[in-house]
Amino acid sequence: MARRKKGEAVSGWVVVDKPVGPTSTQVVAMVRRLYNAQKAGHAGTLDPLASGILPVALGEATKTVPFILDATKGYRFTIRFGVATTTDDAEGTATSTSPVRPSAADIEAMLPRFTGPIEQVPPAFSAIKVDGERAYDLARAGEAVELKPRPVTIHWARLTGCPDGDHAELEISCSKGTYVRSLARDLALALGTVGHVSALRRVAHGPFREASAIPLDKLTALGHIPPASDTLRTHLLPLQTALDDIPALAMSADDASRLRQGQGVLLRGRDAPILSGPVLATHRGDPVALTEYSQGELKPVRVFNLGS
């Protein structure tokens, strides 16, 4: 007899506005407990010192996480000039200083060099693996960590303010794999000084924006208002929210049943749709499966078990 999963079959996305302090894993655990969900995961780590959008997937929505991991992200951050740190943020210890402070005009003139496809060396204190070990574990152990440059894309970058001579506030839109800490470090060096990230906030992640995010403390408070399950579900977005950029195709009841059983569905003929790549198959508006369309056939890749 199969062991019954603990928790309820809750599925969807909760867009948490993470505060500074907890890790992303801690936030996921809190959300999972609040919703009593069988499984949960997040779509991109936020450092403890970072705040902002952390999309948490519950239940069947965890099957759509890969589509959010690759999504464009937006950040708002502050660079402190004049001090370099071991971690390239305020958590590390100082490694060097500089008396040079760039002007707003200097920063704006330099930003185009860091816009578009660029090569970026990740911070030594990062989760990238080196010979099977996490780079941050090696760095904490005092070992020299040499990471290779990686291609990333900064779609746009702009200076939004300079509150004083030591700090500059910026916003960027960037690709998967971009390290804001590396950008701050490299921008400061290009300006003839050193620097690190003193504040960081994620303001966009794929289809998720600040307007749809709920602060973690508010979400936790709602969990204590009866009936908690109904109150919390008002902040649960459909799992297909993560698939906004993927074409959807309505299926008949028979074809939906075939897909749920792992069988392909033929779409050949004069009325067959023109499709390519991944397709979200739906029935009566409900997601049935993520499929791959090839040679006139929809083949299920991820089947959603929503009890419909």
Side-chain angles (χ1 to χ4, degrees):
M1 184 175 178
R3 180 182 296 178
R4 185 182 178 188
K5 294 182 180 179
K6 293 183 179 179
E8 299 178 13
V10 181
S11 293
W13 285 92
V14 182
V15 188
V16 177
D17 189 336
K18 187 188 92 65
V20 171
T23 66
S24 296
T25 300
Q26 289 171 333
V27 173
V28 170
M30 292 173 67
V31 173
R32 181 178 182 178
R33 286 195 299 270
L34 283 170
Y35 283 85
N36 191 28
Q38 292 177 351
K39 53 185 176 180
H42 66 75
T45 300
L46 269 181
D47 294 335
L49 289 182
S51 67
I53 293 176
L54 181 68
V56 178
L58 300 178
E60 293 297 283
T62 57
K63 296 177 181 178
T64 67
V65 164
F67 292 90
I68 296 300
L69 287 174
D70 293 339
T72 296
K73 301 174 180 66
Y75 293 95
R76 186 164 59 239
F77 62 101
T78 302
I79 302 177
R80 180 187 174 188
F81 292 111
V83 181
T85 71
T86 52
T87 57
D88 297 317
D89 63 16
E91 188 177 31
T93 56
T95 57
S96 63
T97 61
S98 170
V100 177
R101 299 294 185 270
S103 67
D106 292 334
I107 297 170
E108 290 181 327
M110 188 61 68
L111 286 179
R113 186 188 298 184
F114 293 90
T115 304
I118 63 172
E119 292 282 320
Q120 187 183 76
V121 177
F125 282 79
S126 63
I128 295 173
K129 287 191 174 182
V130 180
D131 297 328
E133 300 286 339
R134 296 291 184 186
Y136 54 65
D137 288 331
L138 297 174
R140 285 171 184 152
E143 296 187 31
V145 178
E146 292 187 10
L147 298 175
K148 296 180 180 179
R150 303 195 308 173
V152 298
T153 300
I154 309 292
H155 303 297
W156 54 261
R158 60 173 172 253
L159 178 69
T160 59
C162 292
D164 55 52
D166 291 336
H167 298 86
E169 298 169 342
L170 299 96
E171 290 184 352
I172 65 168
S173 174
C174 59
S175 68
K176 170 190 176 183
T178 301
Y179 279 92
V180 176
R181 288 180 288 150
S182 292
L183 176 61
R185 176 198 66 207
D186 296 344
L187 179 59
L189 289 171
L191 290 164
T193 184
V194 293
H196 65 270
V197 171
S198 60
L200 174 63
R201 179 172 176 78
R202 186 155 62 197
V203 297
H205 191 157
F208 304 120
R209 297 292 186 272
E210 287 181 291
S212 61
I214 178 171
L216 183 61
D217 58 351
K218 182 177 179 181
L219 188 70
T220 303
L222 291 177
H224 299 294
I225 300 175
S229 59
D230 292 342
T231 306
L232 289 170
R233 283 176 187 269
T234 62
H235 295 280
L236 189 66
L237 303 178
L239 69 82
Q240 57 266 40
T241 307
L243 307 174
D244 280 355
D245 294 335
I246 297 174
L249 186 63
M251 313 298 295
S252 67
D254 288 342
D255 285 343
S257 178
R258 277 191 282 271
L259 288 174
R260 290 191 179 104
Q261 295 172 25
Q263 302 172 11
V265 173
L266 292 176
L267 299 177
R268 294 173 181 158
R270 184 179 61 185
D271 297 327
I274 300 175
L275 299 168
S276 63
V279 178
L280 174 64
T282 66
H283 176 59
R284 294 181 177 177
D286 294 325
V288 173
L290 275 169
T291 68
E292 194 73 25
Y293 185 70
S294 177
Q295 297 180 336
E297 184 179 18
L298 280 182
K299 298 180 180 179
V301 177
R302 291 282 188 275
V303 175
F304 300 118
N305 301 305
L306 299 175
S308 58

